[in-house]
Amino acid sequence: MKREEVYRTQYHSEHQFMGSVDTYIEFYNTKCPHSTLNHKTPDGFELLHEQRRERTG
């Protein structure tokens, strides 16, 4: 986050910074695939994991 967002943006208020953090977290968890998760988003990976648990449990 520091490299992709914080160091590239000049914030004018704490409120603007906090909004930027929220937006980045939303992006990171819902739209950004991760190679360590087999190129799935964290939310997608958790959903798949939950579906597998329901089928086996």
Side-chain angles (χ1 to χ4, degrees):
M1 176 174 172
K2 290 189 291 186
R3 204 172 353 135
E4 295 174 10
E5 176 64 28
V6 175
Y7 293 151
R8 294 181 180 188
T9 306
Q10 186 172 9
Y11 301 102
H12 300 288
S13 68
E14 184 178 342
H15 180 74
Q16 184 186 21
F17 172 74
M18 296 302 287
S20 178
V21 169
D22 289 342
T23 300
Y24 185 83
I25 290 171
E26 179 74 18
F27 161 76
Y28 186 86
N29 287 326
T30 63
K31 296 182 177 38
C32 185
H34 301 272
S35 61
T36 58
L37 301 178
N38 202 21
H39 300 284
K40 292 179 177 38
T41 65
D43 283 354
F45 186 81
E46 286 186 22
L47 179 62
L48 183 61
H49 177 71
E50 184 65 31
Q51 290 171 345
R52 287 180 180 163
R53 253 184 48 194
E54 289 173 358
R55 282 188 269 156
T56 61

